[in-house]
């Protein structure tokens, strides 16, 4: 792809782009030269604020409403983003929605919706974005996962399974889209201090326990994840595909016999 050295060029879609990790991703991409379509589900005010910040960086921005659990909405959002920018070169599948519950409490409806809002959304968005990327000679897709795909956390069964499905789907997409010059990767976030995380009762103790377990003795902020996303979309990662990069301050490294306190629960990015 013909990109400016060290930067990005063309249109990007970031789902769940109004707040948290998605907002940080939108701003990171804009700072590197991309125009950004910001997907949101309900908080139009937050989406407009992120769009204003993208424009302040000198890039074009548009907001597009759609529920990640609605396949038709995701297809429309991808197509509208491509139309707005004359094609899509980057896709960041960040939106996360569903129900926090243990396996005994999960309803079939909650399970189906959570899986749809994660794995099916990635599939549909990638199908539609890839059509535009092929026409431009290639592109890059990054999905957001979490440690719940690899570790068990309280009330996280549906989210964890959905995130694991995302990581598996990334590998299949990478193999099938690679011949078209499209890379597909995944960023696996640890405990990230988003507004959603701070809404969890006792979030301070959860964050403290995570920091105590992590070798770097810290948790993450959304920019930490966004920087990893921007790397995967950059020319520096042009030959990297099908990979999952864990950004967790080393949380997964200590064994079960670690003296550090474990985390009881985490939230979706």
């Amino acid at each position: 792809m013909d990109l400016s050295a060290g930067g990005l060029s063309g249109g990007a879609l970031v789902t769940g782009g109004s707040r948290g990790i998605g907002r940080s991703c939108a701003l990171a991409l804009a700072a590197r030269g991309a125009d950004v379509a910001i997907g949101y589900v309900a908080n139009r005010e937050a989406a407009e604020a992120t769009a204003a910040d993208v424009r302040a960086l000198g890039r074009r921005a548009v907001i597009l409403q759609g529920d990640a659990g609605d396949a038709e909405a995701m297809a429309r959002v991808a197509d509208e983003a491509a139309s707005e920018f004359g094609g899509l070169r980057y896709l960041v599948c960040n939106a996360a929605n569903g129900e926090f519950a243990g396996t005994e409490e999960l309803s079939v409806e909650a399970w189906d919706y959570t899986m749809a809002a994660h794995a099916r959304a990635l599939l549909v968005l990638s199908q539609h974005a890839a059509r535009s990327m092929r026409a431009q000679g290639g592109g890059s897709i990054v999905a957001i996962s979490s440690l719940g795909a690899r570790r068990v956390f309280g009330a996280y069964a549906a989210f964890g399974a959905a995130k694991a499905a995302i990581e598996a789907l990334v590998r299949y997409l990478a193999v099938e889209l690679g011949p078209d010059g499209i890379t597909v990767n995944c960023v696996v976030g640890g405990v990230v201090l988003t507004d959603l995380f701070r809404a969890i009762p006792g979030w301070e103790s959860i964050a403290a326990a995570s920091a105590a377990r992590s070798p770097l003795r810290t948790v993450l902020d959304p920019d930490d994840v966004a920087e990893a996303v921007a790397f995967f979309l950059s020319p520096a990662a042009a030959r990297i595909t099908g990979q999952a990069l864990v950004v967790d301050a080393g949380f997964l490294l200590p064994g079960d016999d670690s003296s550090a306190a474990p985390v009881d629960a985490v939230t979706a990015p």
Side-chain angles (χ1 to χ4, degrees), residues 12 54 58 68 93 130 158 165 181 188-190 193 197 205 231 236 267:
V54 167
C93 294
V188 183
L193 295 184
F197 182 83
S205 63
F231 165 71
T267 189

Side-chain angles (χ1 to χ4, degrees), residues 38-42 44 63-67 73-74 76-77 80:
I38 299 155
Y40 75 102
V41 63
R44 184 180 180 89
I63 65 170
L64 300 171
Q65 193 277 335
D67 185 339
M74 290 299 94
R76 172 182 52 78
V77 164
E80 289 181 1

Side-chain angles (χ1 to χ4, degrees), residues 29-76:
L29 271 57
R32 288 162 172 79
D35 298 320
V36 186
I38 299 155
Y40 75 102
V41 63
N43 193 334
R44 184 180 180 89
E45 182 177 358
E48 291 281 13
T50 301
D53 289 339
V54 167
R55 295 182 188 114
L57 292 169
R59 308 311 309 171
R60 295 175 60 197
V62 62
I63 65 170
L64 300 171
Q65 193 277 335
D67 185 339
D70 183 332
E72 292 184 1
M74 290 299 94
R76 172 182 52 78

Side-chain angles (χ1 to χ4, degrees), residues 47 169 199 248:
L169 182 55
D248 69 346

Side-chain angles (χ1 to χ4, degrees), residues 195-269:
D195 291 341
L196 179 59
F197 182 83
R198 290 186 176 94
I200 299 175
W203 70 268
E204 296 97 335
S205 63
I206 296 171
S210 176
R213 177 187 172 89
S214 302
L216 295 181
R217 299 295 188 262
T218 186
V219 290
L220 311 177
D221 63 41
D223 288 348
D224 295 320
V225 179
E227 287 297 317
V229 170
F231 165 71
F232 272 139
L233 299 180
S234 75
R239 300 295 181 266
I240 302 174
T241 196
Q243 303 304 307
L245 175 61
V246 177
V247 182
D248 69 346
F251 177 86
L252 289 181
L253 293 176
D256 292 337
D257 59 348
S258 170
S259 60
V263 173
D264 295 321
V266 296
T267 189

